Amino acid sequence: MLLFKNGGITLFLRRKLWEPVLELVRQGITPHQLALTITLGAGFGMIPFLGLTTILCTFWAIRLRLNVAFTILIGYLMQPFQLALYVPFVDLGQRIFPVTPIPFSLVKLTSMFRTDLLNALQQLWLANLVGIMAWLLCFIPFGVVLYFSSRKVLHRVLPVQQAA
């Protein structure tokens, strides 16, 4: 109850959420690096493969010398989109590539697993794989647009860093 008096909730959110995020951003990162961090985190956060976000964000952030924690944070913030876009990506992949489409109904999936477990797992694995391919085809133009638009905004917002 005390949090809501005199703007306490605003102060709490600023101190516990906003300021730590700003500290991650301010760790000597350039607008180019921050735009790349946002792009990779957002893109890998939407990949239709649960659990792969952390691995991809960590690997590419280390490889490109980006802020690992901020990349993973962006990826985790995209998880609602990952869940919402899982079926559309798999459906798109099944339309693009010549595979037998799997049914996305609980009754049909349950029946498929009861009939032949190994065949059902194989079909789901293949459907997931074509979903990842569809995500990749969508991520390339999305990533280019997100990178250049966020880089332009960040050049205006972030202070220019002096060379040491």
Side-chain angles (χ1 to χ4, degrees), residues 10-86:
T10 306
L11 181 64
F12 176 79
L13 287 175
R14 188 178 69 199
R15 198 170 9 112
K16 295 292 184 183
L17 181 70
W18 186 248
E19 288 176 5
V21 169
L22 283 179
E23 282 302 313
L24 284 174
V25 172
R26 291 182 186 144
Q27 292 179 357
I29 197 163
T30 66
H32 158 72
Q33 290 172 316
L34 188 54
L36 196 54
T37 298
I38 292 168
T39 302
L40 292 178
F44 293 144
M46 290 188 293
I47 193 167
F49 191 100
L50 300 175
L52 197 58
T53 299
T54 306
I55 295 167
L56 288 173
C57 285
T58 303
F59 174 78
W60 285 106
I62 290 171
R63 180 93 173 141
L64 298 171
R65 298 177 188 217
L66 303 174
N67 188 319
V68 176
F70 195 60
T71 309
I72 292 172
L73 175 66
I74 299 284
Y76 283 173
L77 290 175
M78 296 303 291
Q79 282 186 338
F81 295 101
Q82 179 184 35
L83 295 174
L85 293 173
Y86 181 83

Side-chain angles (χ1 to χ4, degrees), residues 91-106:
D91 191 41
L92 178 63
Q94 290 177 346
R95 291 177 189 210
I96 294 172
F97 299 101
V99 295
T100 305
I102 63 165
F104 279 111
S105 101
L106 186 59

Side-chain angles (χ1 to χ4, degrees), residues 1-10:
M1 190 74 163
L2 291 174
L3 281 177
F4 295 105
K5 284 192 170 190
N6 300 328
I9 190 75
T10 306

Side-chain angles (χ1 to χ4, degrees), residues 103-114:
F104 279 111
S105 101
L106 186 59
V107 173
K108 290 180 181 178
L109 283 172
T110 305
S111 171
M112 197 169 80
F113 272 97
R114 284 188 181 151

